[in-house]
Amino acid sequence: MSTLEIRDLTASVAGKQILHGIDMTVASGEVHAVMGPNGAGKSTLSAVLMGRPGFEVLGGTVTLDGEDVLAMPAWRRAVAGLHLVMQYPTEVPGVMLDDMLGEALTTRGRDADGLSGTLLAEAERIGLAEPLLHRALNVDLSGGEKKRNETLQLAVLRPKFAILDELDSGLDIDALRACSRRVEDLSNEAGDAPLGVIAITHYSRLLEELRPDRVHILVKGRIVESGGPELADVLERDGYAAFASPDELTPERDDAGPREQPGSLDDLFAI
Amino acid sequence: MSVLDPSRLDAVELPTTDEEIWRYSRIGDLDLARFTPSTHDVEVDGDAGALVDASGAAPLFDDRPDVFATLNAELGAGIAVTVPPGSVVDEPIVITHSIPGGGALTAPRLVIDAGADSEVTVVERFRSAGGGAALTLPVLHVRVGQAARVRYLAVNELNDEVWSIGHQQAESGRDSDLLLATVALGGDYARVRTEARSVGRGASTRQVALYFADGDQMHDFRVIQSHVAPHTNSDLLFKGAVQDHAASVYTGLIEIGEEARGTAAYQTNRTLTLSDGAWAESVPNLDIRTNDVKCSHASTVGPIDEDQRFYLESRGVMPEVAERLVVLGFFDEVISQLPSKGFADELRRRVADKLDIGTGDAR
């Protein structure tokens, strides 16, 4: 059993404070949904947890089974058991998925011999066409293929905790179902340390397959409400207006990451 | 230009960096009088002996763009690869030049004359046969006959004491297909000036290069894609890296004449700067004299993409391994287009060996 503990985490991007004190404790097998409107700091939270360059931690702690996560470079966080499923997976020309995963397993001191078999099985399970396993990372993949690929990597690398940054953006309903089911299964696996999940999203359709144990509402860099899965239903019915003043919901763009594609489902909750 | 006297190299007048075509170059560091004209060993592999004449080859073209091409014409013995019309040579012809050191001046010349509807692949390798300063002035002339397919690869594996100042000239006939590829890993200062002219309607030319300079090396490319016939095509992709205190220059010109309507021409140059002390320059130019064309150029100089590195690191790949993967991946776009597939693995290994990532700034 593992525990990821976030205490009073504050962070800034380009000199502007985005996170104003985040507290959250996630145990193995738990699914925590972090929901919030655009500009709430959702992507900043995921970037800070994984150690993306360009984000400055101002205060607070993040520990994984007592180990200081914030003191580690990104690759050590991954080896320690954190995994980020990116909202916009980066294209890496000329670097093949299987080569990268081979290196990633080697760093963990794990045997890469059975990798091709594992990859094939996971690809079939997640619905990723086999030839895509031998492509350069994310190059020429559709939005759905990228997210299936991200989820496949999660399943192969078997981290202790996964941070899903808007897993549901840019993919069709079939891919969404395949990806969220796979994560749900990983969180339900028997054994002493099933996957713990922080699912960052701004609408609840992700949570149809991936059942949250806890839901946190993030507005302007603060968790304004935490509760059980019923909180997502309230949000679905009433929108973020139930949790924040209209002033706090002005769509100021202070979050990291590129803008959503106009006209996508994501706009539904852009308010 | 008047005929030079190779026995009086000290009297030869050299160009200067004041001339645009020599801008950024190290021409000012060259002292011709330190070198003595010399012969060198040449080895020819490939099952095409009848097509190769190593006993001498006159230049195909009369242009002598600079004093070094003139010296080559005076000194070079030359190798001729002559492919009769309709003839297809299956295996690559591999020509290896062993360039002596000890102050030798050599002038390798290769003349490829591909007849109509013929096909040939030629790989020309330049290696050092000894230590000490050396100056080599290679010249390549290629004539691609109507509907002929020619693939050429030059590999510079010279040691880091050798200066190489090369000139390549190609003329492509109607509906022909030419690939000019360069791999530059060696040399102290290695310059290649290339002029690829599409002279027949429908001619298609592709140029690719991989260059990687470290230490105090400098790679210098001057490329002209010239179109003087309608509906011709040219595409160029040069990718390089500079490390330590090394430097590279790419200056490219797409030149489209009035008669070249319906032409498409593209050039892309990307250079990775892997160390703070390394330097790269990229200057793409267009000179277009007709409206009915498609042209584009793109060029970037900069460090390894931070997002790419972070993506790999976030999966638990160590920083130096991540950088190595990204750099090799960057070059793969060129390696996959080289005409000699068997060479790809060796080349990836040589590039990896040259990378000194991991010895310095691992975070």
Side-chain angles (χ1 to χ4, degrees):
Chain A
M1 184 64 79
S2 288
T3 308
L4 179 68
E5 235 185 293
I6 304 168
R7 284 289 159 263
D8 198 24
L9 182 64
T10 52
S12 67
V13 183
K16 183 174 166 63
Q17 186 167 353
I18 305 294
L19 299 182
H20 296 273
I22 304 289
D23 288 282
M24 201 184 299
T25 303
V26 184
S28 295
E30 291 180 357
V31 175
H32 289 237
V34 177
M35 307 186 72
N38 282 339
K42 301 192 301 296
S43 286
T44 300
L45 176 60
S46 70
V48 167
L49 290 177
M50 203 65 221
R52 186 189 271 276
F55 293 79
E56 194 189 351
V57 174
L58 302 174
T61 58
V62 178
T63 56
L64 173 53
D65 294 334
E67 272 196 277
D68 183 0
V69 167
L70 297 178
M72 304 177 193
W75 70 275
R76 283 203 185 278
R77 298 183 194 198
V79 172
L82 278 190
H83 187 96
L84 173 62
V85 169
M86 292 193 189
Q87 181 178 9
Y88 302 102
T90 311
E91 295 187 9
V92 193
V95 178
M96 303 300 138
L97 172 66
D98 37 8
D99 289 345
M100 188 270 286
L101 286 176
E103 294 290 353
L105 290 176
T106 304
T107 323
R108 289 163 172 81
R110 278 160 61 184
D111 194 355
D113 283 353
L115 177 60
S116 55
T118 311
L119 271 176
L120 276 176
E122 286 295 344
E124 193 176 348
R125 189 160 178 182
I126 199 80
L128 189 72
E130 192 264 339
L132 301 186
L133 295 176
H134 314 294
R135 284 264 189 92
L137 283 165
N138 299 313
V139 175
D140 296 330
L141 297 190
S142 71
E145 286 165 347
K146 282 181 183 171
K147 294 301 175 75
R148 287 183 208 255
N149 182 313
E150 289 286 285
T151 309
L152 172 141
Q153 292 179 37
L154 172 68
V156 171
L157 293 174
R158 298 292 169 126
K160 292 172 178 157
F161 293 94
I163 304 139
L164 315 179
D165 188 8
E166 314 251 359
L167 176 65
D168 45 358
S169 73
L171 82 177
D172 58 84
I173 198 74
D174 288 339
L176 173 63
R177 191 168 292 143
C179 292
S180 48
R181 250 183 213 166
R182 188 70 192 93
V183 177
E184 171 75 16
D185 289 350
L186 288 167
S187 76
N188 290 331
E189 266 184 2
D192 55 325
L195 182 70
V197 179
I198 297 177
I200 291 170
T201 180
H202 60 189
Y203 42 45
S204 53
R205 69 174 182 158
L206 172 69
L207 308 178
E208 283 166 20
E209 299 286 344
L210 181 61
R211 308 300 306 173
D213 301 291
R214 298 284 292 167
V215 175
H216 310 273
I217 310 289
L218 184 69
V219 176
K220 291 266 165 166
R222 286 190 180 85
I223 290 175
V224 294
E225 184 95 31
S226 293
E230 70 284 352
L231 210 50
D233 300 331
V234 176
L235 193 64
E236 179 82 343
R237 197 182 60 231
D238 302 337
Y240 288 107
F243 303 100
S245 68
D247 185 43
E248 288 174 312
L249 296 174
T250 45
E252 183 192 349
R253 293 297 308 184
D254 57 2
D255 205 348
R259 216 170 253 280
E260 301 291 347
Q261 291 299 309
S264 76
L265 273 173
D266 307 283
D267 285 356
L268 283 178
F269 278 85
I271 304 181
Chain B
M1 195 172 286
S2 59
V3 173
L4 293 174
D5 180 357
S7 66
R8 289 295 314 279
L9 290 175
D10 57 320
V12 173
E13 193 180 331
L14 293 179
T16 71
T17 51
D18 291 343
E19 296 166 55
E20 177 55 36
I21 195 87
W22 291 96
R23 196 175 165 203
Y24 307 118
S25 78
R26 287 187 184 164
I27 192 67
D29 298 345
L30 181 62
D31 178 7
L32 266 189
R34 289 172 56 214
F35 300 97
T36 311
S38 167
T39 56
H40 70 280
D41 289 336
V42 179
E43 198 180 310
V44 179
D45 292 318
D47 187 27
L51 305 174
V52 181
D53 181 359
S55 67
L60 271 180
F61 311 113
D62 294 331
D63 300 1
R64 306 279 176 269
D66 55 40
V67 66
F68 304 103
T70 306
L71 274 171
N72 180 286
E74 297 291 326
L75 292 169
I79 298 164
V81 174
T82 310
V83 190
S87 168
V88 173
V89 186
D90 290 326
E91 290 296 309
I93 297 169
V94 180
I95 297 163
T96 305
H97 300 276
S98 296
I99 302 298
L105 166 62
T106 51
R109 184 187 316 128
L110 174 62
V111 174
I112 302 172
D113 196 351
D117 199 30
S118 68
E119 186 172 319
V120 69
T121 299
V122 181
V123 178
E124 197 177 20
R125 302 182 85 147
F126 298 88
R127 288 179 165 161
S128 287
L135 173 63
T136 188
L137 308 173
V139 163
L140 170 74
H141 284 179
V142 186
R143 184 155 56 205
V144 191
Q146 182 171 335
R149 285 87 60 199
V150 173
R151 292 177 292 268
Y152 168 83
L153 168 63
V155 186
N156 166 358
E157 309 166 68
L158 296 163
N159 72 30
D160 59 10
E161 295 179 282
V162 181
W163 271 50
S164 176
I165 300 177
H167 180 234
Q168 302 180 332
Q169 192 171 350
E171 271 193 15
S172 293
R174 185 176 179 125
D175 297 329
S176 65
D177 207 355
L178 170 65
L179 171 62
L180 287 177
T182 296
V183 170
L185 300 174
D188 175 17
Y189 172 70
R191 173 186 169 98
V192 186
R193 170 175 174 158
T194 303
E195 288 154 59
R197 286 164 59 82
S198 298
V199 299
R201 169 190 273 265
S204 179
T205 305
R206 181 153 185 81
Q207 296 188 62
V208 298
L210 180 165
Y211 51 97
F212 186 2
D214 68 356
D216 293 312
Q217 288 183 302
M218 178 170 185
H219 292 143
D220 182 356
F221 296 98
R222 297 271 163 172
V223 188
I224 301 174
Q225 298 160 257
S226 172
H227 297 259
V228 292
H231 299 285
T232 49
N233 256 292
S234 70
D235 198 354
L236 176 148
L237 176 67
F238 275 39
K239 289 182 114 172
V242 285
Q243 177 174 278
D244 308 326
H245 295 283
S248 74
V249 173
Y250 165 85
T251 305
L253 173 63
I254 292 177
E255 202 176 60
I256 300 181
E258 285 170 26
E259 62 277 57
R261 64 190 178 281
T263 282
Y266 308 100
Q267 58 177 327
T268 301
N269 173 229
R270 304 203 185 282
T271 307
L272 290 177
T273 46
L274 300 175
S275 316
D276 289 341
W279 177 86
E281 185 69 53
S282 180
V283 190
N285 294 295
L286 301 173
D287 177 4
I288 301 171
R289 308 264 164 112
T290 177
N291 290 325
D292 180 18
V293 293
K294 279 186 205 146
C295 274
S296 74
H297 59 80
S299 100
T300 53
V301 173
I304 290 176
D305 186 282
E306 195 170 73
D307 288 338
Q308 294 180 5
R309 177 166 53 193
F310 176 70
Y311 186 81
L312 299 183
E313 288 180 24
S314 76
R315 311 292 130 139
V317 178
M318 285 190 284
E320 58 268 32
V321 177
E323 291 195 0
R324 196 168 278 259
L325 287 174
V326 169
V327 174
L328 291 171
F330 166 83
F331 281 132
D332 224 55
E333 190 182 3
V334 172
I335 292 175
S336 64
Q337 294 184 51
L338 296 179
S340 181
K341 297 292 170 222
F343 179 56
D345 285 342
E346 184 196 330
L347 184 57
R348 281 192 193 94
R349 199 168 52 244
R350 293 177 58 123
V351 170
D353 287 348
K354 201 164 175 170
L355 276 172
D356 58 27
I357 285 168
T359 58
D361 63 338
R363 286 174 296 145

